[in-house]
Amino acid sequence: MGVKALYPGSFDPPTLGHLDIIKRSANLFDEVTVCVFHNNKKPAGMFSVGDRAGMLSVISQSMPNVKVDVSDGMVADYAREHGIKALIRGLRAVSDYESEAQMAMLNAQLCEGLETVFLHARPKHAFMSSSIVRELAKYGKSLDGWVPREIEPLVRQRAGMLNGNRG
Ligand code: ADP
């Protein structure tokens, strides 16, 4: 049986930084599940969970060992239920480190044997985040070099709808 990994996140929306982590994980593991985790008690993001999963499916289409899913549960429970032993997280700046270390410890405590594997962001993605993309999209700026080309129209369209149908 192959080694399965889980790449959890908000992906609101997916960026080129996320895509890079997905590709690198798909090279390391036999199967990678990219899962949109959402919490019904937290404010909804800019994109619906369905849209985010749809965008992730489009950008990972060429990778046969990548699956996309959504969950409103806990990451550790999802991993246990699906026989997943590795959690993938991307690390950008040192500022990511503290909360990521905390989460890794919690997840190891909640699911014995669950390891968090950190992949460093490539320098060109080090300052890339979904929140910057949301800001650019909201003001109608170019998303070239920020999100995969295939999802750019949808990101624009949704942001435009939120802005009163400009997109
Ligand atoms: P979360 O709300 O779980 O942090 P995100 O969608 O913002 O969800 O990020 C999911 C994961 O992807 C996190 O581990 C985050 O550090 C990583 N990540 C986000 N942006 C980048 C990037 N530009 N390069 C590498 N990893 C990234």
Side-chain angles (χ1 to χ4, degrees):
M1 203 186 71
V3 183
K4 295 196 228 173
L6 174 66
Y7 180 29
S10 312
F11 306 107
D12 185 36
T15 66
L16 282 172
H18 292 131
L19 178 59
D20 186 59
I21 298 290
I22 297 171
K23 284 184 183 160
R24 289 161 61 192
S25 313
N27 280 332
L28 280 176
F29 295 95
D30 296 299
E31 190 181 297
V32 177
T33 302
V34 186
C35 188
V36 180
F37 279 85
H38 62 104
N39 181 342
N40 289 329
K41 296 200 184 75
K42 275 211 215 154
M46 179 182 252
F47 298 88
S48 72
V49 172
D51 272 347
R52 295 183 222 171
M55 290 189 272
L56 286 167
S57 299
V58 168
I59 66 175
S60 57
Q61 193 159 258
S62 62
M63 294 174 259
N65 61 336
V66 175
K67 297 198 304 187
V68 173
D69 201 1
V70 302
S71 170
D72 63 357
M74 279 193 100
V75 169
D77 291 335
Y78 186 101
R80 188 181 318 99
E81 283 157 21
H82 292 82
I84 290 170
K85 290 270 173 1
L87 276 186
I88 310 282
R89 296 290 287 173
L91 274 185
R92 286 160 293 181
V94 177
S95 52
D96 277 347
Y97 179 80
E98 201 167 322
S99 59
E100 290 293 341
Q102 221 169 39
M103 236 184 319
M105 265 182 273
L106 172 70
N107 284 322
Q109 193 183 314
L110 293 174
C111 177
E112 208 187 316
L114 182 59
E115 297 288 352
T116 302
V117 177
F118 292 107
L119 297 181
H120 283 279
R122 297 287 186 221
K124 64 180 170 185
H125 301 133
F127 297 100
M128 196 170 272
S129 67
S130 297
S131 61
I132 296 182
V133 170
R134 290 197 298 274
E135 198 68 3
L136 292 172
K138 203 161 90 183
Y139 293 101
K141 304 291 184 204
S142 169
L143 299 177
D144 217 28
W146 291 88
V147 302
R149 222 172 269 280
E150 312 93 278
I151 64 169
E152 204 178 313
L154 184 84
V155 174
R156 290 199 164 288
Q157 190 200 7
R158 289 287 188 268
M161 281 162 61
L162 296 174
N163 276 348
N165 268 334
R166 272 201 293 124

mmCIF file with all atom_site columns, all heavy atoms in Angstrom, residues 76-84:
data_model
loop_
_atom_site.group_PDB
_atom_site.id
_atom_site.type_symbol
_atom_site.label_atom_id
_atom_site.label_alt_id
_atom_site.label_comp_id
_atom_site.label_asym_id
_atom_site.label_entity_id
_atom_site.label_seq_id
_atom_site.pdbx_PDB_ins_code
_atom_site.Cartn_x
_atom_site.Cartn_y
_atom_site.Cartn_z
_atom_site.occupancy
_atom_site.B_iso_or_equiv
_atom_site.pdbx_formal_charge
_atom_site.auth_seq_id
_atom_site.auth_comp_id
_atom_site.auth_asym_id
_atom_site.auth_atom_id
_atom_site.pdbx_PDB_model_num
ATOM 1  N N   . ALA A 1 76 ? -7.054  16.143 12.109 1.00 0.00 ? 76 ALA A N   1
ATOM 2  C CA  . ALA A 1 76 ? -6.553  14.889 12.694 1.00 0.00 ? 76 ALA A CA  1
ATOM 3  C C   . ALA A 1 76 ? -7.583  13.756 12.543 1.00 0.00 ? 76 ALA A C   1
ATOM 4  O O   . ALA A 1 76 ? -7.214  12.605 12.280 1.00 0.00 ? 76 ALA A O   1
ATOM 5  C CB  . ALA A 1 76 ? -6.203  15.092 14.162 1.00 0.00 ? 76 ALA A CB  1
ATOM 6  N N   . ASP A 1 77 ? -8.865  14.095 12.692 1.00 0.00 ? 77 ASP A N   1
ATOM 7  C CA  . ASP A 1 77 ? -9.910  13.063 12.536 1.00 0.00 ? 77 ASP A CA  1
ATOM 8  C C   . ASP A 1 77 ? -9.959  12.582 11.090 1.00 0.00 ? 77 ASP A C   1
ATOM 9  O O   . ASP A 1 77 ? -10.094 11.394 10.814 1.00 0.00 ? 77 ASP A O   1
ATOM 10 C CB  . ASP A 1 77 ? -11.284 13.625 12.933 1.00 0.00 ? 77 ASP A CB  1
ATOM 11 C CG  . ASP A 1 77 ? -11.376 13.882 14.423 1.00 0.00 ? 77 ASP A CG  1
ATOM 12 O OD1 . ASP A 1 77 ? -10.629 13.233 15.184 1.00 0.00 ? 77 ASP A OD1 1
ATOM 13 O OD2 . ASP A 1 77 ? -12.183 14.747 14.835 1.00 0.00 ? 77 ASP A OD2 1
ATOM 14 N N   . TYR A 1 78 ? -9.878  13.542 10.176 1.00 0.00 ? 78 TYR A N   1
ATOM 15 C CA  . TYR A 1 78 ? -9.905  13.192 8.746  1.00 0.00 ? 78 TYR A CA  1
ATOM 16 C C   . TYR A 1 78 ? -8.752  12.240 8.431  1.00 0.00 ? 78 TYR A C   1
ATOM 17 O O   . TYR A 1 78 ? -8.921  11.232 7.754  1.00 0.00 ? 78 TYR A O   1
ATOM 18 C CB  . TYR A 1 78 ? -9.795  14.470 7.891  1.00 0.00 ? 78 TYR A CB  1
ATOM 19 C CG  . TYR A 1 78 ? -9.960  14.215 6.408  1.00 0.00 ? 78 TYR A CG  1
ATOM 20 C CD1 . TYR A 1 78 ? -11.170 14.477 5.777  1.00 0.00 ? 78 TYR A CD1 1
ATOM 21 C CD2 . TYR A 1 78 ? -8.907  13.700 5.640  1.00 0.00 ? 78 TYR A CD2 1
ATOM 22 C CE1 . TYR A 1 78 ? -11.332 14.241 4.408  1.00 0.00 ? 78 TYR A CE1 1
ATOM 23 C CE2 . TYR A 1 78 ? -9.054  13.465 4.288  1.00 0.00 ? 78 TYR A CE2 1
ATOM 24 C CZ  . TYR A 1 78 ? -10.267 13.730 3.678  1.00 0.00 ? 78 TYR A CZ  1
ATOM 25 O OH  . TYR A 1 78 ? -10.427 13.484 2.337  1.00 0.00 ? 78 TYR A OH  1
ATOM 26 N N   . ALA A 1 79 ? -7.563  12.575 8.946  1.00 0.00 ? 79 ALA A N   1
ATOM 27 C CA  . ALA A 1 79 ? -6.370  11.749 8.670  1.00 0.00 ? 79 ALA A CA  1
ATOM 28 C C   . ALA A 1 79 ? -6.575  10.337 9.206  1.00 0.00 ? 79 ALA A C   1
ATOM 29 O O   . ALA A 1 79 ? -6.316  9.352  8.499  1.00 0.00 ? 79 ALA A O   1
ATOM 30 C CB  . ALA A 1 79 ? -5.139  12.403 9.292  1.00 0.00 ? 79 ALA A CB  1
ATOM 31 N N   . ARG A 1 80 ? -7.068  10.236 10.428 1.00 0.00 ? 80 ARG A N   1
ATOM 32 C CA  . ARG A 1 80 ? -7.269  8.912  11.033 1.00 0.00 ? 80 ARG A CA  1
ATOM 33 C C   . ARG A 1 80 ? -8.275  8.101  10.222 1.00 0.00 ? 80 ARG A C   1
ATOM 34 O O   . ARG A 1 80 ? -8.042  6.949  9.880  1.00 0.00 ? 80 ARG A O   1
ATOM 35 C CB  . ARG A 1 80 ? -7.739  9.051  12.474 1.00 0.00 ? 80 ARG A CB  1
ATOM 36 C CG  . ARG A 1 80 ? -7.769  7.702  13.193 1.00 0.00 ? 80 ARG A CG  1
ATOM 37 C CD  . ARG A 1 80 ? -8.257  7.758  14.630 1.00 0.00 ? 80 ARG A CD  1
ATOM 38 N NE  . ARG A 1 80 ? -7.762  8.867  15.400 1.00 0.00 ? 80 ARG A NE  1
ATOM 39 C CZ  . ARG A 1 80 ? -8.449  9.997  15.639 1.00 0.00 ? 80 ARG A CZ  1
ATOM 40 N NH1 . ARG A 1 80 ? -9.667  10.139 15.167 1.00 0.00 ? 80 ARG A NH1 1
ATOM 41 N NH2 . ARG A 1 80 ? -7.923  10.959 16.355 1.00 0.00 ? 80 ARG A NH2 1
ATOM 42 N N   . GLU A 1 81 ? -9.392  8.751  9.887  1.00 0.00 ? 81 GLU A N   1
ATOM 43 C CA  . GLU A 1 81 ? -10.457 8.037  9.163  1.00 0.00 ? 81 GLU A CA  1
ATOM 44 C C   . GLU A 1 81 ? -10.013 7.555  7.783  1.00 0.00 ? 81 GLU A C   1
ATOM 45 O O   . GLU A 1 81 ? -10.555 6.597  7.254  1.00 0.00 ? 81 GLU A O   1
ATOM 46 C CB  . GLU A 1 81 ? -11.684 8.950  9.012  1.00 0.00 ? 81 GLU A CB  1
ATOM 47 C CG  . GLU A 1 81 ? -12.494 9.047  10.298 1.00 0.00 ? 81 GLU A CG  1
ATOM 48 C CD  . GLU A 1 81 ? -13.336 10.328 10.366 1.00 0.00 ? 81 GLU A CD  1
ATOM 49 O OE1 . GLU A 1 81 ? -13.606 10.917 9.298  1.00 0.00 ? 81 GLU A OE1 1
ATOM 50 O OE2 . GLU A 1 81 ? -13.697 10.719 11.498 1.00 0.00 ? 81 GLU A OE2 1
ATOM 51 N N   . HIS A 1 82 ? -9.045  8.267  7.192  1.00 0.00 ? 82 HIS A N   1
ATOM 52 C CA  . HIS A 1 82 ? -8.624  7.909  5.838  1.00 0.00 ? 82 HIS A CA  1
ATOM 53 C C   . HIS A 1 82 ? -7.269  7.201  5.797  1.00 0.00 ? 82 HIS A C   1
ATOM 54 O O   . HIS A 1 82 ? -6.688  7.033  4.728  1.00 0.00 ? 82 HIS A O   1
ATOM 55 C CB  . HIS A 1 82 ? -8.590  9.162  4.947  1.00 0.00 ? 82 HIS A CB  1
ATOM 56 C CG  . HIS A 1 82 ? -9.953  9.730  4.681  1.00 0.00 ? 82 HIS A CG  1
ATOM 57 N ND1 . HIS A 1 82 ? -10.605 10.548 5.572  1.00 0.00 ? 82 HIS A ND1 1
ATOM 58 C CD2 . HIS A 1 82 ? -10.807 9.566  3.645  1.00 0.00 ? 82 HIS A CD2 1
ATOM 59 C CE1 . HIS A 1 82 ? -11.787 10.883 5.086  1.00 0.00 ? 82 HIS A CE1 1
ATOM 60 N NE2 . HIS A 1 82 ? -11.941 10.295 3.919  1.00 0.00 ? 82 HIS A NE2 1
ATOM 61 N N   . GLY A 1 83 ? -6.755  6.810  6.946  1.00 0.00 ? 83 GLY A N   1
ATOM 62 C CA  . GLY A 1 83 ? -5.475  6.089  6.980  1.00 0.00 ? 83 GLY A CA  1
ATOM 63 C C   . GLY A 1 83 ? -4.315  6.920  6.463  1.00 0.00 ? 83 GLY A C   1
ATOM 64 O O   . GLY A 1 83 ? -3.414  6.400  5.796  1.00 0.00 ? 83 GLY A O   1
ATOM 65 N N   . ILE A 1 84 ? -4.352  8.219  6.769  1.00 0.00 ? 84 ILE A N   1
ATOM 66 C CA  . ILE A 1 84 ? -3.302  9.121  6.295  1.00 0.00 ? 84 ILE A CA  1
ATOM 67 C C   . ILE A 1 84 ? -2.279  9.361  7.407  1.00 0.00 ? 84 ILE A C   1
ATOM 68 O O   . ILE A 1 84 ? -2.644  9.644  8.549  1.00 0.00 ? 84 ILE A O   1
ATOM 69 C CB  . ILE A 1 84 ? -3.934  10.454 5.825  1.00 0.00 ? 84 ILE A CB  1
ATOM 70 C CG1 . ILE A 1 84 ? -4.721  10.213 4.533  1.00 0.00 ? 84 ILE A CG1 1
ATOM 71 C CG2 . ILE A 1 84 ? -2.859  11.535 5.614  1.00 0.00 ? 84 ILE A CG2 1
ATOM 72 C CD1 . ILE A 1 84 ? -5.586  11.371 4.099  1.00 0.00 ? 84 ILE A CD1 1
#
